[in-house]
Amino acid sequence: MSNITQKSSTPDIPLIVFKVGQMTCAVDGASVISIQRMEEFTLTPHSPDEIFGSINFRNKVIPILDLRTIFGLPTRMKEYSDFIKMLDQRKQDHINWVNTLKESVKNNTHFPLATNPHQCAFGKWYDKYDNPNKKIMFHLERIRDPHNKLHYAALDVAKIQEKDCSEDEKKAQIQEILRQVENEYMATVVGLLDSAKTIFKDIYQTMLIVLEDKEQIAVAVDEVVAVTNLEEVTVEKQSLMCGSMVQRFLKGKSDDDIIYHLSHDALFKKIMNKTEE
């Protein structure tokens, strides 16, 4: 990030700091009259993309401005939908994996799929994923053991096939492994992936910051992270975010952490212009 220099001290009224994708932004706390989850909303037919819809706020219908769309990011709903599709695909991968193992045993052919739990598509994602939410990480940790056992079962089958014992004994041992694979390991992995959909939904929850001037608008954001005062800084090399939406830059936790202070007037003008078009 570019070098910054301190410019001025903060005003007395704190700012509302929030996340939009990887960006950290802020609005003046003086204009904020409510912070709430977006639980019920109404889609507005034929509205511009920036207008998410509307909510009934204190018996008044007010528009929702979607900052993700303005900043060129996919909506939270789209991100969650894509995530659910990924989980469903990883679930189907393991159902196919088990069916392929059973077919290879039946036909006495080489098993072609991953026997290393770190090499399947889910394992590669799983090893890299991290989240500060302890509930989510605890849930994911529960998948590790059955997922490992599932993949290693193919190696166990191969070892039994090479054993110096009767074919009936081999068959009995392999059938017991296949029973565990299908009824225990796969069933547990699939069940945990399904329940992860509900647990992960909280990550993709949209928050609304309701602002008031002459009118009221709701601004859709990912997460509200702080109510605080911040120091204004000068950024030597202007960011791509330097448009009419940003009125100044604020210093975050480090010199490289820049917070975009969004213009109150620009937010209202953006949504009012769109609703009049």
Side-chain angles (χ1 to χ4, degrees):
M1 190 80 182
S2 53
N3 293 328
I4 59 175
T5 56
Q6 182 175 325
K7 186 174 181 181
S8 66
S9 59
T10 57
D12 294 332
I13 299 176
L15 299 161
I16 308 300
V17 183
F18 55 89
K19 300 287 290 186
V20 180
Q22 297 300 312
M23 295 177 292
T24 306
C25 303
V27 292
D28 293 324
S31 61
V32 176
I33 58 174
S34 178
I35 299 173
Q36 61 192 56
R37 283 193 173 197
M38 187 175 73
E39 295 178 344
E40 294 185 3
F41 66 96
T42 302
L43 292 174
T44 307
H46 312 299
S47 64
D49 292 338
E50 293 91 340
I51 307 300
F52 195 91
S54 63
I55 59 168
N56 190 318
F57 179 74
R58 298 175 184 174
N59 297 318
K60 181 179 180 181
V61 176
I62 64 173
I64 304 171
L65 182 66
D66 184 21
L67 288 183
R68 276 183 157 261
T69 301
I70 290 174
F71 295 157
L73 301 172
T75 65
R76 294 291 266 180
M77 291 174 61
K78 175 67 165 57
E79 280 194 346
Y80 182 62
S81 175
D82 289 346
F83 181 76
I84 294 303
K85 289 178 183 178
M86 185 276 288
L87 287 183
D88 284 340
Q89 183 58 59
R90 299 295 77 82
K91 180 176 72 173
Q92 188 60 49
D93 288 348
H94 287 84
I95 293 173
N96 294 342
W97 189 98
V98 171
N99 289 335
T100 301
L101 178 62
K102 290 165 64 178
E103 283 296 313
S104 70
V105 168
K106 178 181 177 181
N107 299 321
N108 195 27
T109 56
H110 171 71
F111 179 66
L113 302 180
T115 57
N116 185 332
H118 304 286
Q119 292 303 312
C120 71
F122 173 76
K124 292 177 181 179
W125 172 85
Y126 183 88
D127 288 342
K128 294 180 180 179
Y129 185 80
D130 189 28
N131 193 290
N133 188 307
K134 293 181 179 179
K135 180 179 179 182
I136 287 171
M137 296 309 294
F138 175 77
H139 184 81
L140 288 179
E141 183 59 32
R142 294 171 61 197
I143 301 178
R144 184 185 305 277
D145 184 59
H147 180 249
N148 287 349
K149 288 178 177 178
L150 179 72
H151 283 274
Y152 291 146
L155 297 177
D156 293 336
V157 168
K159 289 178 182 178
I160 292 172
Q161 289 172 331
E162 297 298 323
K163 286 178 67 174
D164 184 15
C165 60
S166 70
E167 290 300 318
D168 287 344
E169 188 175 351
K170 288 182 181 180
K171 182 177 179 180
Q173 292 179 11
I174 289 174
Q175 288 305 313
E176 174 58 20
I177 290 176
L178 293 180
R179 184 197 67 76
Q180 290 179 317
V181 165
E182 187 165 21
N183 299 332
E184 297 178 21
Y185 310 149
M186 184 186 72
T188 302
V189 169
V190 167
L192 289 171
L193 288 176
D194 277 336
S195 57
K197 298 176 185 178
T198 301
I199 295 174
F200 271 81
K201 192 171 185 179
D202 285 342
I203 296 180
Y204 297 95
Q205 178 68 52
T206 298
M207 298 296 295
L208 294 178
I209 300 175
V210 181
L211 306 175
E212 185 173 53
D213 196 339
K214 295 178 181 178
E215 300 290 339
Q216 294 174 348
I217 64 171
V219 179
V221 305
D222 295 357
E223 177 187 10
V224 176
V225 296
V227 179
T228 186
N229 291 320
L230 296 168
E231 295 177 348
E232 182 179 359
V233 294
T234 299
V235 178
E236 293 181 358
K237 186 179 292 185
Q238 295 296 293
S239 161
L240 294 175
M241 278 288 299
C242 291
S244 60
M245 295 291 291
V246 180
Q247 63 177 350
R248 60 179 185 154
F249 298 97
L250 305 169
K251 182 179 178 181
K253 295 180 180 179
S254 66
D255 287 346
D256 290 334
D257 184 16
I258 300 299
I259 297 174
Y260 302 101
H261 186 188
L262 303 185
S263 165
H264 172 93
D265 292 340
L267 289 170
F268 273 87
K269 185 178 294 184
K270 188 82 174 177
I271 201 165
M272 294 310 170
N273 288 346
K274 290 295 181 181
T275 54
E276 291 172 1
E277 288 177 359

